[in-house]
Amino acid sequence: MNGWMKRALVELRFWACLGFCLVLAAIALMGQLDRLRASEVPARLSMGKASSPTASRPVYRIRADYDDKARTVAGRMEVTLPKNRSETWEEVYFRLYPNAFRRWQWEEHSKPKEPGYLDVTEVKVNGRKAATHIDGTVMRVNLPKPLQPGQSARIEMKYRLKLPRGGSRLNAFGRTAFLAQWYPMLAVKDEDGWHTEPYTTVGDPFYSQMSDFEVTFRVPEGYRVITSADDDPTKPAKGTVTLRQENMRDFAAVITKDYEVIQGAAGDVEVNLWYQKGMEKEAKKLHRAAVSGMRFFGSLFGPYPYREVDVVLGETGYGIAGMEYPGLVTSIPKYPTRKGERPAVNVVVHELAHQWWYGVVGNNQVKEPWLDEGLTTFSEMLYMHDKMGEDQREFLARAAEVSDEIHKRQGVTSVEPLYRYSDSIYGLMVYTRPAAMLWRLMDEIGKEKVLEILRTYYDRYKFQVATTRDFIRVANEVAGRDLTPFFDRWLFFKEKDIRKAG
Ligand SMILES: [Zn+2]
């Protein structure tokens, strides 16, 4: 292979890696590559036995009626707020992400063909009507009386979701609806206050907290429901299905008439891959990769805590190659390369690695997107290296150089909120450079130490939210030396430490 070819491959790989969660317009530029029966809804929620509200997690009870002709979900939702707070709350915020698709404010090329939205009505707090204020994707609920620490409250509401056509993630086409961020999601409140940051098309602009869910779907005849919860593929939904899942950050679902399943297991974890007609060839390969990936990550980082995971093949809207939700990921079946089309093993494996980094160990994906994307890209590359024999060193070295250049020109680092990145540099700064950093760290302290850092970080922060500072603290502790200059150089581009950091 000549130099030109090598460079071309690095370039190819470079662009291919720009965003597996959001495949960017860059790929197109390169030209290479890579019915609703609302009246029948009971006046009050009655959904059988619910798990008793925990002190620490919100408890969602949702009843969702899907209308395939109208592309709508009529929902009734009840959220029990957690008790263990140190502050008095006078208001509560919810995220209504589908409202991003009501009046599209972003790039024309990613505009949905038909708009979508999430309308909320009849909001009550402990049975009393509550005043609300909705501004785009943010809803404030004024509590009729302040909620003291140690007190819980039950917030009820009705909602109507209209699915966009050609939306990103949240989408409906053919006889399939992809339900992503499809219910009013309780916003996160932490030391920075309530998180009500605006939607953006760069990255995954979502931040959610561990919650308990009881979700009842009513679907038209012939439809099945694939969800974040432990689904049983042998029992298709007959009209109504109720799913329960504790300790999960989000609850995604796919309602469909068009999918077949391949079942398997990675140890105790059931791995289901869902595919449509015409994807049979890739489906088999990708199911094998999914099983092998779940086994690989489980043995390297620590056990996946849920019983089952679903991989759903298909493009879930404009520019989305793959997307992660707890217990459910989506992926395109294949992507084009110079050598022809290839099954999207790296996309599937990438999204599954997110079960560890994002799903179980959470982070603020708006404020520090590198933390889940960087660790996930590194995990994906480790799989592609160890299991598929791919050597990424040259590509990673090149990515490090290019990201240094971008930092010099634009001043942007790898630890910035989403809004600081344009589409064209996001993947490089947030995915690839941190992956290159961890690859370099293996050279510095050895692969086993790096894996021990990741295992310790996973064990310490599972079911919680971690920060960049937490990650560096664990790394220093496990390595038994101060790696802060190394991370300063790689994440924050602090040049003065370059020689010391190597
Ligand atoms: Zn990702």
Side-chain angles (χ1 to χ4, degrees):
M1 202 185 304
N2 67 38
W4 177 85
M5 272 300 285
K6 268 188 185 169
R7 226 175 21 250
L9 277 176
V10 171
E11 289 289 319
L12 192 69
R13 196 47 226 182
F14 170 78
W15 288 110
C17 279
L18 281 182
F20 286 124
C21 293
L22 268 177
V23 157
L24 310 176
I27 288 176
L29 281 171
M30 287 296 283
Q32 301 289 349
L33 263 185
D34 297 322
R35 172 173 37 150
L36 239 190
R37 295 173 291 249
S39 58
E40 290 175 36
V41 176
R44 260 195 67 75
L45 288 162
S46 168
M47 298 189 291
K49 270 183 242 158
S51 49
S52 58
T54 59
S56 60
R57 294 191 298 267
V59 180
Y60 286 81
R61 300 173 81 199
I62 299 173
R63 169 125 196 168
D65 289 15
Y66 176 60
D67 183 332
D68 58 335
K69 294 187 179 65
R71 293 197 338 267
T72 55
V73 172
R76 291 188 75 96
M77 187 175 94
E78 184 183 294
V79 178
T80 307
L81 300 178
K83 286 180 182 175
N84 60 346
R85 289 166 289 102
S86 55
E87 304 162 304
T88 300
W89 285 3
E90 295 185 351
E91 54 196 23
V92 171
Y93 287 82
F94 285 85
R95 300 310 308 263
L96 313 179
Y97 292 115
N99 283 342
F101 305 109
R102 194 193 294 267
R103 278 178 291 274
W104 193 245
Q105 298 167 21
W106 297 275
E107 308 81 16
E108 195 58 28
H109 59 76
S110 56
K111 186 180 177 177
K113 290 186 195 79
E114 288 176 36
Y117 52 82
L118 184 58
D119 282 340
V120 178
T121 54
E122 297 180 34
V123 179
K124 289 179 189 164
V125 178
N126 292 333
R128 286 173 62 185
K129 198 171 182 308
T132 58
H133 176 79
I134 297 176
D135 183 8
T137 64
V138 179
M139 173 171 75
R140 187 186 69 226
V141 177
N142 297 336
L143 300 176
K145 64 177 198 193
L147 195 65
Q148 308 296 338
Q151 286 182 332
S152 179
R154 196 182 71 246
I155 304 184
E156 295 164 81
M157 61 192 77
K158 277 175 78 169
Y159 71 87
R160 185 171 187 272
L161 167 75
K162 174 81 174 178
L163 282 137
R165 246 191 234 288
S168 281
R169 305 182 187 88
L170 178 71
N171 200 5
F173 52 84
R175 303 191 300 178
T176 301
F178 286 92
L179 299 186
Q181 294 87 32
W182 60 283
Y183 53 93
M185 295 169 75
L186 187 63
V188 178
K189 187 171 194 293
D190 60 20
E191 63 278 6
D192 297 332
W194 285 100
H195 285 275
T196 59
E197 290 87 353
Y199 183 85
T200 170
T201 53
V202 175
D204 301 330
F206 314 114
Y207 184 25
S208 57
Q209 59 205 302
M210 283 296 178
S211 305
D212 297 344
F213 293 91
E214 181 181 275
V215 184
T216 298
F217 287 100
R218 186 153 54 176
V219 296
E221 209 184 318
Y223 277 85
R224 69 155 66 237
V225 186
I226 307 161
T227 73
S228 283
D230 297 337
D231 306 306
D232 184 350
T234 61
K235 284 190 197 149
K238 274 211 178 92
T240 301
V241 58
T242 297
L243 298 134
R244 296 181 183 87
Q245 193 72 55
E246 291 187 356
N247 225 1
M248 234 180 204
R249 219 168 276 287
D250 188 3
F251 194 100
V254 180
I255 300 178
T256 183
K257 257 182 169 174
D258 286 336
Y259 276 85
E260 300 291 326
V261 66
I262 304 176
Q263 292 175 263
D268 296 337
V269 180
E270 290 171 31
V271 183
N272 300 316
L273 183 129
W274 302 85
Y275 66 97
Q276 295 190 27
K277 266 199 185 66
M279 299 175 182
E280 292 83 354
K281 209 173 99 205
E282 290 85 16
K284 273 188 192 160
K285 284 184 178 159
L286 294 178
H287 183 258
R288 277 200 295 272
V291 168
S292 144
M294 289 298 290
R295 201 175 273 141
F296 184 74
F297 299 137
S299 70
L300 290 188
F301 310 140
Y304 173 76
Y306 310 109
R307 197 177 55 77
E308 181 249 21
V309 66
D310 296 293
V311 179
V312 185
L313 298 185
E315 191 184 330
T316 61
Y318 179 83
I320 302 285
M323 184 65 197
E324 71 278 15
Y325 310 96
L328 189 158
V329 304
T330 69
S331 169
I332 49 171
K334 57 190 176 186
Y335 60 87
T337 70
R338 283 168 180 250
K339 290 181 182 168
E341 290 181 324
R342 285 176 57 175
V345 170
N346 48 354
V347 182
V348 167
V349 166
H350 177 101
E351 306 308 340
L352 289 174
H354 270 301
Q355 296 301 310
W356 280 260
W357 321 125
Y358 156 71
V360 180
V361 179
N363 59 291
N364 184 335
Q365 294 175 283
V366 175
K367 191 179 174 186
E368 298 186 324
W370 87 270
L371 197 45
D372 62 302
E373 293 300 356
L375 299 191
T376 296
T377 304
F378 174 73
S379 306
E380 168 213 325
M381 287 183 171
L382 213 49
Y383 178 91
M384 297 305 284
H385 177 271
D386 289 12
K387 297 285 176 187
M388 307 290 285
E390 278 194 11
D391 188 352
Q392 310 275 14
R393 273 167 195 278
E394 204 177 330
F395 160 67
L396 289 174
R398 172 96 179 105
E401 283 169 23
V402 178
S403 51
D404 276 335
E405 272 310 305
I406 287 171
H407 169 73
K408 269 180 207 145
R409 270 188 264 135
Q410 302 187 23
V412 71
T413 73
S414 287
V415 189
E416 312 265 6
L418 287 178
Y419 314 105
R420 290 272 291 144
Y421 302 104
S422 62
D423 252 1
S424 60
I425 63 166
Y426 177 66
L428 176 65
M429 304 306 276
V430 169
Y431 288 57
T432 319
R433 180 163 177 111
M437 168 183 84
L438 293 170
W439 212 273
R440 175 66 74 88
L441 192 58
M442 291 202 294
D443 296 338
E444 298 251 329
I445 64 172
K447 182 178 180 178
E448 262 319 302
K449 274 283 172 215
V450 173
L451 293 178
E452 198 186 327
I453 290 169
L454 292 172
R455 265 195 300 277
T456 308
Y457 174 72
Y458 180 72
D459 187 55
R460 196 167 296 172
Y461 294 102
K462 64 185 166 201
F463 306 123
Q464 297 176 54
V465 169
T467 63
T468 300
R469 206 179 304 152
D470 295 329
F471 180 78
I472 295 174
R473 195 184 304 119
V474 170
N476 288 345
E477 186 187 308
V478 173
R481 64 189 243 205
D482 186 14
L483 292 168
T484 311
F486 174 88
F487 291 113
D488 278 349
R489 159 79 188 114
W490 277 91
L491 291 174
F492 299 97
F493 296 76
K494 289 186 183 168
E495 287 297 335
K496 64 179 179 191
D497 295 305
I498 190 167
R499 250 169 270 110
K500 208 165 54 174

